[in-house]
Amino acid sequence: MEFRPCIDIHNGSVKQIVGGSLKDAGNEAKENFVSKQEASFFAELYKKSGLRGGHVIMLNPPGSPYYEATRTQAMKALAAYPMGLQIGGGITPENAGAFLDAGASHVIVTSYVFRDGRIDYGNLKKMADAVGRDRLVLDLSCKRTEKGYFVVTDRWQKLTQEKVDMALLDRLADCCDEFLVHAVDVEGRADGIEEQLAGMLGGWGKRPMTYAGGIHSYEDLELIRRLGKGRLNVTVGSALDMFGGTLEWGRVLEICTKKSAQLG
């Protein structure tokens, strides 16, 4: 289990938000924390800590009046930590190269690949051809329904018909280098993880995978380690002290590093 840090950018500021509250209309979101620091500050911190594979997420869509301010912050983060961060948010084959050239190790894609409620394999191939499978992360952020967990797109606002299960992971495994999964129902709420989802993801284990959503205690980190069989990487956002939460940055890193060493 590795700790994978995050830099979420909305309306030009680094924020922690409640995931399900994000709305394109009015560029609104329920905020847990708004940083006075630029994105590069966090990128430099992650670099000094030796953490790789963190994700920068641009939460404004292209066309939003805030998109350019958000993109500028993202580019500053990539410049501060070349090849140390992944980037997502409105990524297409046409713009992916600019982010890779700016220092991103990978691009993260959801909405371009999942169209009209289903996987668009043509778009998936275009994306993989544009950047290479080894630099592509598929974001399978999902919401819980009575029938299981289903991928959501367009900044977690649209529910698809694609169920997040081992069959889906098997179908997509040869098309990407990693998976990122936000449990949207608990994202930003810091009141517990999606245990069923974490257990399923950890039981697969054929590609690197990062789980995000709901972590609010050191015990949750232990639970992720156990349910994920040491295979799941983990992101902590709103619960971290540097984002206004109660979990100490240093202790979180210590727990993740220690447990990874014991399992390895």
Side-chain angles (χ1 to χ4, degrees):
M1 184 171 79
E2 298 177 5
F3 182 77
R4 296 290 187 89
C6 62
I7 303 174
D8 295 341
I9 310 171
H10 182 245
N11 294 358
S13 297
V14 175
K15 296 182 181 179
Q16 287 293 313
I17 68 169
V18 177
S21 73
L22 190 63
K23 305 294 182 185
D24 286 349
N27 298 282
E28 297 178 354
K30 183 178 179 181
E31 299 168 347
N32 288 329
F33 176 83
V34 181
S35 177
K36 296 179 181 179
Q37 302 286 352
E38 292 198 328
S40 57
F41 169 85
F42 296 97
E44 289 166 0
L45 174 63
Y46 302 156
K47 182 178 180 180
K48 290 176 183 176
S49 300
L51 299 170
R52 302 184 68 85
H55 50 276
V56 179
I57 303 296
M58 299 180 291
L59 294 173
N60 295 104
S64 162
Y66 294 98
Y67 177 76
E68 284 305 320
T70 290
R71 185 180 184 276
T72 295
Q73 284 296 314
M75 288 297 201
K76 288 181 177 180
L78 299 180
Y81 192 5
M83 297 304 291
L85 297 167
Q86 306 168 357
I87 189 164
I91 304 296
T92 67
E94 290 73 29
N95 66 20
F99 294 107
L100 296 177
D101 291 343
S105 67
H106 296 69
V107 293
I108 305 168
V109 179
T110 306
S111 299
Y112 183 79
V113 167
F114 292 86
R115 290 287 188 181
D116 299 321
R118 292 292 189 183
I119 299 171
D120 185 324
Y121 286 99
N123 278 6
L124 178 57
K125 184 178 187 302
K126 289 177 185 177
M127 198 74 242
D129 288 346
V131 303
R133 183 196 67 81
D134 60 339
R135 301 192 75 177
L136 178 60
V137 176
L138 291 180
D139 185 339
L140 304 183
S141 292
C142 55
K143 289 181 67 70
R144 182 179 61 251
T145 74
E146 293 181 354
K147 297 181 179 180
Y149 295 92
F150 286 79
V151 173
V152 286
T153 66
D154 298 272
R155 293 154 300 284
W156 308 325
Q157 296 169 86
K158 294 182 180 179
L159 188 67
T160 74
Q161 299 176 57
E162 297 291 352
K163 186 176 183 180
V164 179
D165 55 16
M166 291 189 181
L168 179 67
L169 296 172
D170 282 336
R171 281 155 55 200
L172 296 175
D174 290 337
C175 303
C176 65
D177 194 44
E178 296 189 12
F179 291 104
L180 171 64
V181 182
H182 291 85
V184 173
D185 296 296
V186 296
E187 174 71 20
R189 300 183 186 275
D191 58 4
I193 69 169
E194 288 280 9
E195 296 186 26
Q196 183 179 353
L197 178 63
M200 184 277 292
L201 296 174
W204 185 70
K206 299 177 184 178
R207 283 277 184 274
M209 187 175 308
T210 299
Y211 169 91
I215 294 171
H216 78 303
S217 67
Y218 302 116
E219 289 74 21
D220 281 342
L221 292 172
E222 300 284 359
L223 185 58
I224 286 283
R225 179 183 66 87
R226 178 172 61 80
L227 292 173
K229 299 178 175 60
R231 297 167 174 164
L232 278 184
N233 301 321
V234 63
T235 292
V236 184
S238 297
L240 274 180
D241 54 2
M242 67 180 181
F243 292 134
T246 60
L247 300 189
E248 298 176 4
W249 165 253
R251 187 173 176 191
V252 168
L253 296 189
E254 181 182 1
I255 290 172
C256 293
T257 302
K258 179 179 66 176
K259 294 304 181 183
S260 295
Q262 290 179 357
L263 286 164

